[in-house]
């Protein structure tokens, strides 16, 4: 265990020992949920004080839990645990967002549209261009048109990219070691060629030499978070995350398969294969932007 995690756990234990609110069962359930949150804070942010928990940490944790397929009711309970202990902190620096701000007003996350609009995507690309981040531009394209998870993008090395350009399709290892192959359009092929010319053979395309992959991922997530206010459509209340680009592409794939004459079930199965998972209920979550979550057939 990391020093950050042990430090946060010591602070949590102190709060737990001096609290007598609620039943023993509730306190224990909340304590276990808070332990998981402390591990997330330590691994992803290297946070050292519970008093410094900020809204950005809550938004990121919700996105993390959603990405792991946690049920809305489970996430709500975990957030209740976080708020419970946050209220026990003598001098917290920040006020935490409520469920409405976190898009948790509905019982199921399957009802929440997380896609990006075309203008939002283009504005985010412009932000990356202004920042001189050609790597971010390519990664955004990979999320938008190949539906890659953020860690899958940062896993790409020169051998993987060269094979993808030759085929042309990207074979990538996803969750649970599940391999999948995703077709690439001309934009993605050109972007991969661009980085292949600038990356030393055997190295990762988007992780600078000497840097840690998880740190590179956090930097991109922070960039998206900091740019959202300038990028998001004025009338939108969607929570913009990189993962939302997978939702955007999934909806487009589904509509494409339906237009080709496949049944809703067949279309969802095809989308699931391209996304790299096999559960129909998870596919419906990705298709929340479509009426009925991709049909009932």
């Amino acid at each position: 265990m990391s020093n950050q995690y042990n430090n946060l756990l010591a602070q949590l234990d102190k709060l737990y020992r001096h609290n007598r609110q609620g039943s023993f069962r509730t306190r224990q359930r909340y304590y276990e949920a808070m332990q998981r949150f402390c591990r997330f804070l330590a691994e992803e942010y290297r946070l050292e004080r519970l008093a410094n928990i900020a809204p950005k940490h809550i938004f990121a944790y919700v996105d993390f839990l959603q990405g792991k397929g946690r049920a809305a009711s489970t996430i709500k309970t975990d957030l209740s645990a976080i708020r419970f202990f946050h209220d026990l902190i003598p001098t917290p620096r920040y006020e935490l967002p409520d469920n409405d701000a976190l898009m948790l007003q509905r019982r199921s996350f399957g009802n929440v549209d997380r896609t990006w609009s075309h203008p939002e995507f283009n504005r985010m690309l412009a932000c990356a261009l202004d920042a001189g981040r050609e790597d971010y531009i390519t990664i955004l394209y990979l999320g938008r048109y190949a539906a890659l998870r953020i860690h899958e993008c940062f896993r790409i090395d020169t051998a993987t990219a060269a094979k993808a350009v030759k085929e042309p399709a990207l074979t990538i290892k996803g969750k649970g070691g599940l391999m999948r192959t995703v077709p690439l359009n001309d934009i993605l092929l050109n972007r991969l060629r661009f980085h292949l010319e600038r990356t030393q053979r055997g190295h990762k395309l988007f992780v600078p030499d000497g840097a840690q992959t998880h740190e590179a991922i956090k930097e991109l997530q922070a960039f998206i978070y900091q740019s959202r206010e300038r990028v998001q459509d004025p009338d939108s209340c969607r929570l913009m995350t990189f993962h939302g680009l997978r939702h955007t592409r999934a909806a487009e794939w589904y509509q494409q398969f339906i237009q080709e004459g496949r049944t809703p079930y067949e279309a969802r199965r095809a989308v699931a294969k391209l996304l790299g998972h096999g559960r129909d209920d998870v596919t419906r979550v990705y298709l929340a932007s479509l009426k009925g979550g991709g049909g009932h057939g």
Side-chain angles (χ1 to χ4, degrees):
M1 291 186 292
S2 68
N3 290 333
Q4 287 86 359
Y5 177 67
N6 288 330
N7 188 27
L8 292 176
L9 203 58
Q11 296 171 50
L12 172 62
D13 287 343
K14 184 176 180 180
L15 294 174
Y16 182 76
R17 287 195 304 270
H18 291 85
N19 171 64
R20 292 295 180 268
Q21 300 178 38
S23 67
F24 173 80
R25 184 174 181 180
T26 297
R27 295 200 306 271
Q28 186 64 27
R29 166 71 179 84
Y30 281 3
Y31 176 78
E32 292 169 358
M34 194 64 182
Q35 275 185 312
R36 294 191 293 271
F37 184 51
C38 286
R39 185 176 296 278
F40 173 83
L41 292 172
E43 292 179 351
E44 297 298 325
Y45 292 94
R46 298 187 180 278
L47 194 74
E48 297 185 349
R49 297 184 64 233
L50 292 179
N52 290 336
I53 294 173
K56 68 177 182 180
H57 301 132
I58 305 300
F59 280 107
Y61 192 53
V62 168
D63 188 57
F64 169 76
L65 293 175
Q66 286 177 310
K68 294 179 73 67
R70 296 291 185 265
S73 57
T74 300
I75 297 178
K76 285 185 177 181
T77 302
D78 283 5
L79 290 173
S80 295
I82 294 169
R83 293 192 184 98
F84 176 82
F85 282 102
H86 190 261
D87 288 342
L88 298 176
I89 297 172
T91 55
R93 289 189 61 187
Y94 304 96
E95 182 178 346
L96 301 187
D98 59 20
N99 285 355
D100 286 343
L102 292 164
M103 299 289 289
L104 291 171
Q105 65 272 29
R106 294 176 178 174
R107 188 63 177 172
S108 171
F109 285 115
N111 294 328
V112 176
D113 177 9
R114 301 180 65 194
T115 59
W116 294 32
S117 71
H118 290 296
E120 287 173 335
F121 181 70
N122 289 333
R123 287 192 289 267
M124 188 65 79
L125 287 178
C127 288
L129 183 61
D130 289 343
R133 298 304 301 255
E134 293 285 351
D135 53 342
Y136 287 1
I137 292 174
T138 304
I139 295 169
L140 288 166
Y141 273 123
L142 286 167
R144 174 65 182 79
Y145 291 109
L148 263 61
R149 300 178 177 94
I150 192 167
H151 69 272
E152 293 170 346
C153 295
F154 282 90
R155 188 178 292 160
I156 298 173
D157 58 16
T158 54
T160 302
K163 183 174 183 287
V165 168
K166 183 179 178 180
E167 291 193 339
L170 179 66
T171 299
I172 197 78
K173 180 186 289 187
K175 284 186 177 180
L178 183 64
M179 302 294 295
R180 73 183 187 280
T181 300
V182 183
L184 301 180
N185 61 20
D186 289 340
I187 294 175
L188 289 176
L189 291 173
N190 289 333
R191 295 303 304 180
L192 290 179
R193 291 189 187 101
F194 173 86
H195 290 284
L196 277 171
E197 294 174 356
R198 292 159 176 79
T199 306
Q200 186 176 343
R201 187 175 179 180
H203 290 222
K204 292 181 179 179
L205 264 60
F206 309 119
V207 181
D209 292 343
Q212 297 293 319
T213 300
H214 72 277
E215 292 291 345
I217 291 174
K218 283 200 303 185
E219 286 182 11
L220 174 56
Q221 290 173 323
F223 172 81
I224 292 174
Y225 179 82
Q226 293 162 5
S227 303
R228 277 195 306 221
E229 189 173 343
R230 290 178 291 161
V231 165
Q232 195 159 26
D233 293 334
D235 59 346
S236 174
C237 61
R238 297 187 305 275
L239 178 61
M240 288 184 67
T241 64
F242 185 86
H243 203 71
L245 294 173
R246 271 170 61 86
H247 290 241
T248 305
R249 189 58 177 145
E252 290 178 344
W253 274 331
Y254 176 82
Q255 291 171 323
Q256 173 188 327
F257 293 137
I258 290 296
Q259 291 171 2
E260 292 173 357
R262 305 195 197 189
T263 66
Y265 177 74
E266 291 171 341
R268 290 196 306 272
R269 290 287 295 173
V271 170
K273 185 176 180 180
L274 289 169
L275 291 176
H277 68 78
R279 290 172 50 192
D280 190 60
D281 59 329
V282 175
T283 306
R284 288 180 182 274
V285 171
Y286 281 100
L287 301 177
S289 63
L290 304 176
K291 187 176 181 181
H296 301 284

